[in-house]
Amino acid sequence: MPTRQIKEGVEQHLAVKPKSNLQNQMHPEAEKNLKTFPSENGRSPPCAAHENQHHQPHRNKGRRRGRGGRKSSDQESGIFMRPNSRPCTQKAADLPEFDCNKTSNLNESSEMSSFPCSSKSLSFAPRPGYGQTGTVCMVKANHFMAQLPDKDLNQYDVSILPEVTSRALNRAIMGELVKRYKESDLGTRLPAYDGRKCLFTAGELPFVWKEFRIKLVDQEDGINSPKREREYKVVIRFVAHVNLHHLGEFLAGKRADGSQEALQILDIVLRELSTKRYCPVGRSFFSPNIRKAQQLGEGLESWCGFYQSIRPTQMGLSLNIDMASAAFIEALPVIDFVAQLLGKDVLSRPLSDSHHVKIKKALRGVKVEVTHRGSVRRKYRVFGLTSQPTRELVFPVDDNANMKSVVEYFQEIYGFTIRLTHLPCLQVGNQKKANYLPMEACKIVEGQRYTKRLNEKQITALLKVTCQRPKDRENDILQTVHQNSYNQDPYAKEFGIRISEKLACVEARVLPAPWLKYHDAGKEKDCLPQVGQWNMMNKKVINGMTVSRWACINFSPSVKESVARGFCNELAQMCQESGMEFNPDPVIPIYTAKPEHVEKALRHVYHVSMNRLKGNELELLLVILPDNNGSLYGDIKRICETDLGLISQCCLTKYVFKISKQYLANVSLKINVKMGGRNTVLLDAISCRIPLVSDIPTIIFGADVTHPENGEDSSPSIAAVVASQDWPEVTKYAGLVCAQAHRQELIQDLYKTWQDPVRGTVSGGMIRDLLVSFRKATGQKPLRILFYRDGVSEGQFYQVLLYELDAIRKACASLEPNYQPPVTFIVVQKRHHTRLFANNHRDRSTTDKSGNILPGTVVDTKICHPTEFDFYLCSHAGIQGTSRPAHYHVLWDENNFTADGIQSLTNNLCYTYARCTRSVSIVPPAYYAHLAAFRARFYVEPEMQENGTKGTGVRPLPALKDNVKRVMFYC
């Protein structure tokens, strides 16, 4: 084959506030403010003086609630408080402003000095009891009981020389070792191996240390060709006994922490056989034989598989099994793959520059095998594509600089005639010593997952495969468990693990939907959602905004001006019907432009409008987009929000032509929120009846971090934090975004300090800024903090809690000495594999139209954590496929929520999402934070495309214009 030579911690101690001083009393700061600060006029103003409401809110008579879910004497609220809760009596004028001129030395603060300084002194919030609110029902969960083995587990270290980086090769070596020595040197033990450094056995091996010599035949050299044999030295050394007693006590709720090592061993044991049978990807296994592979287009196909994980739960060990699908590169000849990728005949014409780049990106990192050597199927990994066509490629054949062409080489050495010499060659091996392989001499190796971004058509095709009705998904899960036959698995037998083949039957409760308040001017002043949804008929938004100055740009070539004008008229009318004041006439006539002239068009409309308005701001820009608009949407948002300071509302062509009342109503809701209005609020919030929210000023945060796609190793991660701005209604949110280091999960800018030459040490950060914003918006400072954190995996819980809770503490203390409102820190997880199914799929009283469990279904027993405060909540109605409940894990709780309290509050908040008239699947502040972080990705991507190399630091995001920052711009 032609070859070408190419030249070329310190541990952080974090402050965390203890819980003990908050168990049976209100936070000291809240008590101090209640006693010390009289109202300005000597009277107590109403708790919720709503600007558009004319009714007096009802008083909460101080209902109290202990742990464990006893029934309340007042059933009106449906949510309960623990003994430290107080009624909604805090007044706007009672509260001092932040004294930001005072300094607070965190190291000298008596309150801060008692905080634990490492994760060893921190434990997650214990479960305060079980919820009682709601209608009890039974559901099935895709958890299967696993019997804890009674055998001793032993861990051994494995060292293989020469060192091997491939897990598959490591497993092949250890497989050969077990095959040869199981009955002799291994004492009939059947070990489980993690593919790296660890070997586990049930019972001890006959030795403490032993060296083996293993010869392995290279199977890639073909059937009839001479075999290459490689020898490896394998050393197995005893490390430790793993005691299952602690794990048993943890599962029984007698210990706060379990043996993570024991869980990992059991997980590895149960994965051992599937690893040999299927293609492992993370915690899932895939195969084209589980179900027929489906074409996704452009050389990709979807494989069906299953997810598997062993988990500690209240019912003991549980094996979580779920169905999965993933995109794989089809095992095609490279020429056929390229033809599918480009969607045209590539055999007859040279490649364009854009096609060359597309092929190079698609094949980078892909493993191929040669097909020009008969039965020899040597495998290589592609790292690039030659810039020249094959017919022009030459390379040195000796030290005398004698050259030979690639075409000649393959003809002389292999008798292989390269026909498509106008195509480039694949570059394989590495950049220092690159090998050339003609495309027509290679085939893609089967079983390679596609990790790059899918296009819209591929995503749609994949969703069709993955979208299963609940009954079908349940049947597939049961069939998978039956096919895997865990109780006949030799590894499970060896370690004494038995797995039930029945879904876990779990008691659940369906929480009631909250009443929603709309404006009194509408025919329907309030609304009780039915099965997670409602509509805007006969209703007006509770705070309707005014849009007097707006314009429209049409980027869709298929939409004529008359059609666009008709659509805008219909939208303006719907906004008026929804309770907004919307001028039916635009500032300037609808402007038509080509998508490639997006920046020029936006600037033109902006400047012409400003001239027409004589200095007044353009309040709203309507934009009509082609259905397939590529980067156009992102470009519009970036230019409008970071450059021109315009609020924009985009509408796709298909909705412009097919105008529906439902679509127009949803767009009007988005516009109202973007203008700074509110669509609806919880009736209990208006009436000050939300425990641990209505009693004292409470701010609710949502936070998320989005990471770049796989392969984008130069792009930053984007962090977003939003916070409620309208206590006691907690419906309106403001948000901040920032860029941070690539794939950094901890939010770096929650709190920060820097040196100013004039002011000295200056404090800032997203938490601090949003606390100040809350104070300005409500006239009060928050005396309680709820922090919903999205996107955190279980392995990051401690790290995220320590770092981010500490940042919250410091942000508060920087505003005022001893200002430390109690914090409840809740992680929201959607990327888990627990699914809940109706106990009887034919019972229409327990399912929605899609066959899913009813919205409001909550589970906090049996399949939840043995000791910690977590629950599953399906807050939304299913549309298609199987609903995924959100998993909420309360890591820290200084506000002493009951199970009913946090579950009902979370469920009720899911009905306040501003963009639709449906309850949503995760709590809105976390949802908004995700949307804000996703939106900010548009601000950074054009720059990263121009300069794709890693820099020395993270460049900050461009600043948002002030009028954009004031509203929920990401809606």
Side-chain angles (χ1 to χ4, degrees), residues 352 821 837:
S352 65
F837 304 103

Side-chain angles (χ1 to χ4, degrees), residues 220 301 303 328-334 366-370 377-381 442-449:
E220 294 181 4
E301 61 184 7
W303 283 15
F328 281 76
I329 304 171
E330 198 171 350
L332 296 168
V334 171
V366 174
K367 188 179 285 189
V368 297
E369 60 183 6
V370 297
R377 291 293 176 124
R378 191 73 53 80
K379 295 182 176 70
Y380 300 91
R381 196 170 294 278
C442 301
K443 181 184 178 183
I444 294 171
V445 174
E446 187 181 52
Q448 297 180 78
R449 189 184 177 194

Side-chain angles (χ1 to χ4, degrees), residues 397-431:
V397 293
D398 54 35
D399 296 335
N400 298 324
N402 291 317
M403 308 297 286
K404 179 171 289 190
S405 73
V406 170
V407 174
E408 291 174 340
Y409 177 85
F410 274 83
Q411 184 65 55
E412 293 175 10
I413 302 300
Y414 303 112
F416 181 79
T417 302
I418 302 175
R419 296 179 295 107
L420 306 176
T421 59
H422 64 284
L423 296 178
C425 275
L426 304 178
Q427 291 177 305
V428 299
N430 57 67
Q431 294 189 4

Side-chain angles (χ1 to χ4, degrees), residues 60 164 381-382 412 516 845 959:
N60 184 335
V164 176
R381 196 170 294 278
V382 178
E412 293 175 10
L516 303 177
S845 66

Side-chain angles (χ1 to χ4, degrees), residues 792-813:
V792 181
S793 64
E794 290 179 4
Q796 298 170 312
F797 279 5
Y798 273 107
Q799 187 183 16
V800 168
L801 177 63
L802 280 168
Y803 183 88
E804 296 184 3
L805 184 59
D806 182 63
I808 296 170
R809 292 283 179 233
K810 290 177 178 176
C812 293

Side-chain angles (χ1 to χ4, degrees), residues 914-931:
R915 302 195 339 162
C916 61
T917 52
R918 298 177 64 92
S919 58
V920 289
S921 59
I922 63 171
V923 70
Y927 206 145
Y928 294 144
H930 174 77
L931 292 173

Side-chain angles (χ1 to χ4, degrees), residues 341-383:
L341 180 69
L342 301 181
K344 59 176 65 179
D345 178 23
V346 296
L347 306 183
S348 58
R349 64 185 71 177
L351 297 176
S352 65
D353 289 343
S354 61
H355 287 163
H356 190 280
V357 170
K358 188 173 184 179
I359 296 169
K360 184 178 179 180
K361 284 185 176 180
L363 288 176
R364 184 184 295 138
V366 174
K367 188 179 285 189
V368 297
E369 60 183 6
V370 297
T371 58
H372 65 285
R373 297 180 58 186
S375 60
V376 177
R377 291 293 176 124
R378 191 73 53 80
K379 295 182 176 70
Y380 300 91
R381 196 170 294 278
V382 178
F383 76 82

